[in-house]
Structure formats: structure tokens, C-alpha cells
Amino acid sequence: MDYTPVSPFRRTLDAVILKHQARTHTELPPSGVNKWEALRELSAAREAFGLTDRDMTVLQALVSFHQATILGGNDTDLVVHPSNKSICERLNGMPASTMRRHLGRLVHAGVVIRRDSPNGKRYARRFGEEKIVYGFDLTPLVARFEEFCEAAETVRAEAEAFKRLREAVSLMRRDLAALSVYGEEIRPDLPIWTQMSDLAALTARELRRRLQLSDLEKIEVVLRDALDRARNILEPVGTENMSTNESQDEQHYQNSNKDSYDSELSQELAKGGGVSAPDLPDRLTRAKDDDSDNEELAPPEPDIRMPNLPLGLVLRSCREILTYFDGPIRHWHEFVRAAEMVRPMMGISPSAWDEAKRHMGPVEAAVVLAAMLERVNDIRSPGGYLRSLSAKAEMGEFSSGPMVMALMRREAA
């Protein structure tokens, strides 16, 4: 029978690596790796390697025994040899048995390598110019650094996608709750509004739980379907309620607020070194005439993003925009056209408007502009404010619903 020698820790002698034996065949980066950066990237991707935060705490303590900040490069000695007592002291008194269990997980994950001495102790000895070290080899932190970085980027991308989807679901829930209140007022004969209100409340309860990405995707589908049903019910009702007479009744606001528009545009142009204040009235007149000569905008394509609120509710809350359009607004493409006419009068640059349409979609961008028009005297820089909202929309963290509902509450107060 063959005899297989083992170390005192019952590991075969194959694990006992001496100085004259090759430690690793992996080619290390010539510039080395910052040990703290390697720990940070591995910590972000720890679950992909089967590690826990406690495992990473033990690894951090182990790495701290290596004096250099850069691992690899000119430094080929990557083996640390602290005693169990020393490691536990740096772990604020963690029990040795617990520490050994976490070390075993690190070794199993291939993050560190055991370099056992024949008697199982960890130590370093010199024989002339040669140095023999037994302990834990940190070479994998250098050799697998790119792998850790790729895994960490994947984890961060998934976390960002989850954050965006959760924010979108939260905004949809708020819009659905607002639509249920508005729908019960407009069509109290339909029981669907109670169901939608319950759905919004249940969604709020679910969002307090620890959800997976697949759970959020299912909730998004349900909310999207409910919002579409609500819009289909309210769209015809809301647009019919906005009559031509009501639009004409609001005409007197145009003249009373023109000075405020001039002032806002003057501030915007003054910052950019634009036209002087005396030229503003002519520029405003020409801008409105030029916009009125444009061809009628085509209705939005079916794949263009639509706001969660129906047109009727938006027109009910944002009446000021009606004064800039000849006749009633009955369709979304007419609403977008009115916003295009108002935009230069508010001092919003074409680049800021294009950015809003790109990130929000033209219809929702028009809703935002109409809501801004209702309180334009309170907005110091409409162009800058629109850009900030566009940045939120790009991150998936914006919906025009709360702006419109805030205007409704202000009117009801």
C-alpha cells in the first residue's frame, strides 16, 4: 500500500509548497495592483464568488499584514504569515474557530492560497539570500484582478437597472393613485377606480419588501396595463370637457402674463450674452408668428412614449397653454404643437427642448412645459430647470404626473 504523507492539518503534502517549487504559473501584471482597490472590486462582486461580507472582513485583515500598498510588480513576495491570534486581534476578538471557517471559504473561492509548512505553522526563514515563507499567498488578488473588476461592473450595472426600474414602478404607482381619484370624480359610475386605488396601495406595500428584478418586472406590467385602461376610459371624457368657450375664457391671461415671460427671457438671454431687453417684444412677436406658420405636427407615432395622465386631466390643470393655441386642444399632437409655440416665449433654448424631447418623449416634454408655464413666475431659469428634469428622466427617475397633480391640488385649495 502506498503511503501519502499529510501535513498536521490533514492536507496532503502536495499543498506544502517550498521556495524552490513554482508558486504559480499565472502571469501577473507588471505594474502590480492596489490591494485596497482589489478588495473594493471583490467586495462589490463577492456574491458572484460565493463570499459574504464577513469573509471579506477576514480577507481585509489578512491583506493588512502585507505592508506594501501595491501587490505584485517588483514585489514578488506576496505570502503573509500571521498567527491565528494576530488575525483575531485585528478582527476585534473574533473567535479563532469562526476566523478559520472564513479563511476556509476564502481558500475555497480561490481568493487566497495556503502555503503550508511541513509542521503546519506559518513562518518565514532565510537561507542565505533565499527566503522561505509559509502562510497565505495573496497572488490571486493580483492574478484575478481583471476578473474581479468585470464581475463588479456586472453587479453595479444590475443594481443600476434595478434602481431605475424600482423608481419607474414607484412613479407609475403614484400616477395610478392620482388617476383613480380623478376618474372617480369624472366617472363615479365605474367600479374600476376602487380596484385601481387598491392596486396602488398594494404596490406601495410590495415596494417596502425586498424584491427581485423579476418581481419588479411583473409589477411594472400590471401597472402599465392598469394605466392604459385608465387612459382609454378618461381620454375621450377629458377632451370633451374642454370646450372651445372654456379656451376662449382663458384668453385674457395672455396679456396679463406677457411681461413676466419677457422678464424670464431677458434673464435667460442676459446670461448667454444674447439680444438686449429693448429688442425682446419684437423677438417674441416674430417667434410666435414663425411658429404659427409652421406646418401642423403629425400625431405621435404609436411607439412614442405617452404620459400616464390623460389629456383631459392635463388640460384641466394646465389651462394657460390654451391661450397660445387657436381653437380647442383635442389631441396630443395639438398639445405638442402648442408647447412648441410657447417654448421660445419662455426663454427655453432649442437645445434644452430637444434634450427634453429625447429623454422624456415629445408628449411628456410638452406636459412638463405646460406645467412649468403655470408657475413660470416662480422659476428663475426655465431652461435650466427643464434640463435638470431631463437629466432625471434620462435616469428613469421622473414622471410628469406629480407636477400635474400638484397643480390640481393647488387649484382645489
Side-chain angles (χ1 to χ4, degrees), residues 328-388:
I329 298 177
R330 300 185 181 277
H331 304 286
W332 280 117
H333 71 276
E334 296 175 339
F335 187 81
V336 173
R337 181 187 175 193
E340 295 277 2
M341 296 171 59
V342 171
R343 188 271 305 166
M345 304 178 191
M346 295 179 64
I348 297 175
S349 65
S351 61
W353 178 238
D354 291 340
E355 183 179 343
K357 290 191 292 184
R358 182 169 63 254
H359 297 312
M360 301 178 186
V363 176
E364 184 151 26
V367 174
V368 172
L369 189 141
M372 291 172 55
L373 183 61
E374 292 296 314
R375 55 187 190 91
V376 69
N377 291 329
D378 300 328
I379 302 175
R380 183 173 183 179
S381 174
Y385 183 57
L386 183 61
R387 287 186 188 276
S388 67

Side-chain angles (χ1 to χ4, degrees), residues 153-226:
E153 285 302 313
T154 301
V155 170
R156 294 188 183 103
E158 292 176 353
E160 182 64 24
F162 181 87
K163 177 184 176 182
R164 291 190 179 190
L165 181 57
R166 185 182 180 88
E167 186 68 24
V169 168
S170 179
L171 292 173
M172 291 170 66
R173 180 202 66 79
R174 293 169 59 184
D175 290 345
L176 183 63
L179 277 180
S180 64
V181 175
Y182 176 70
E184 192 168 359
E185 178 184 346
I186 299 300
R187 292 291 305 274
D189 56 308
L190 299 178
I192 190 174
W193 310 120
T194 302
Q195 300 173 10
M196 291 187 175
S197 178
D198 293 342
L199 177 59
L202 290 174
T203 302
R205 185 183 306 171
E206 286 296 310
L207 290 176
R208 290 194 290 267
R209 296 174 53 242
R210 186 182 180 88
L211 301 175
Q212 301 296 326
L213 183 63
S214 58
D215 299 326
L216 285 177
E217 290 173 346
K218 294 177 182 177
I219 295 176
E220 183 191 26
V221 171
V222 174
L223 292 179
R224 180 65 62 190
D225 179 67

Side-chain angles (χ1 to χ4, degrees), residues 3 19 66 73 115 121 136 161-162 178 188 280 300 328 337 389 400:
Y3 171 71
K19 179 65 177 179
H66 195 284
R115 303 300 181 189
K121 301 296 183 179
F136 293 101
F162 181 87
L280 289 177
R337 181 187 175 193
L389 298 182
S400 60

